[in-house]
Amino acid sequence: MAAESPPRQRLTRTERRAQLLDVARTLIRDAGTDELTLARVAERAGVTKPVVYDHFGDRSGVLAELFREFEARQREVLAAALAEAVPELEVRARLVAGAFVDCCLAEGRELADVVAALAGSAELSALRQAAEDAYLAMCREALEPVAGPIEPGSLDAVIGAGDALVRSTLDERITAERARDVLTKVIIAVITPAS
């Protein structure tokens, strides 16, 4: 008698969404965002295309949700790191730098691919800008009490420098520790008023 396969377990809507995002993340890791289609996500997840469309609407919806998840994790990690931080500039700058670098490295190249794909759409670019603004507002809130007023635009350099340092780390040109150290110095430099 042939062994019976276990009955397929139905997932809740939340569980299915998480599964589909995991599949999309894996697909991006394996083949890049150019290969991300809802049909491929459906095939790898073992569901029909309408299931994927129902959750995300279109490819942009998948990319947007992957980015939202990353941004939410990044803000959670930063909030946890800062929760009991002593009120010293270098300590807080190091925590901000560490949270940025570590979260980006945890996502790996998939995040860079998603961010690059976001640039192709005005709606997705606006999503990215809103997420960056929220993250930088958290950074400002953590740093101004120990640094004084931070000039508008100064913290924007943190995103650019952080992205470049993470790429160098992923390319194994520098270590994660070096990336954290350099980003800490960038943060201090851009928020410290010129004398």
Side-chain angles (χ1 to χ4, degrees):
M1 183 168 170
E4 291 183 35
S5 59
R8 288 180 55 177
Q9 180 181 6
R10 292 187 56 86
L11 301 177
T12 66
R13 183 162 179 81
T14 303
E15 291 168 337
R16 178 68 68 198
R17 184 178 190 84
Q19 178 215 19
L20 295 172
L21 288 171
D22 286 343
V23 167
R25 196 174 292 107
T26 301
L27 183 61
I28 292 169
R29 183 181 321 115
D30 294 348
T33 55
D34 289 344
E35 297 299 314
L36 177 69
T37 66
L38 273 60
R40 286 189 180 99
V41 172
E43 181 183 322
R44 285 196 179 190
V47 298
T48 62
K49 284 192 288 187
V51 170
V52 183
Y53 282 91
D54 180 50
H55 281 274
F56 304 109
D58 59 14
R59 178 181 184 272
S60 293
V62 175
L63 292 168
E65 194 56 35
L66 287 169
F67 187 73
R68 279 188 196 101
E69 272 192 350
F70 164 73
E71 284 296 319
R73 271 193 305 278
Q74 190 174 43
R75 286 191 299 272
E76 287 170 11
V77 168
L78 180 58
L82 293 169
E84 298 189 28
V86 297
E88 294 176 14
L89 176 57
E90 187 165 346
V91 169
R92 290 194 178 187
R94 183 163 297 284
L95 290 172
V96 168
F100 186 95
V101 169
D102 293 345
C103 283
C104 290
L105 291 177
E107 292 295 314
R109 295 203 180 279
E110 300 88 63
L111 175 64
D113 287 351
V114 169
V115 168
L118 292 175
S121 153
E123 179 183 335
L124 295 177
S125 290
L127 167 69
R128 180 180 182 201
Q129 189 61 56
E132 284 180 5
D133 290 346
Y135 182 77
L136 292 177
M138 284 184 72
C139 294
R140 180 179 298 280
E141 187 178 306
L143 296 167
E144 277 189 333
V146 294
I150 299 172
E151 291 182 20
S154 296
L155 287 176
D156 291 337
V158 172
I159 300 294
D163 286 346
L165 290 164
V166 167
R167 278 193 311 276
S168 291
T169 304
L170 289 169
D171 291 340
E172 297 180 354
R173 293 188 312 228
I174 62 172
T175 65
E177 186 59 36
R178 181 71 181 140
R180 288 185 212 97
D181 289 344
V182 171
L183 190 55
T184 300
K185 291 174 185 172
V186 168
I187 292 167
I188 292 170
V190 300
I191 67 172
T192 304
S195 43

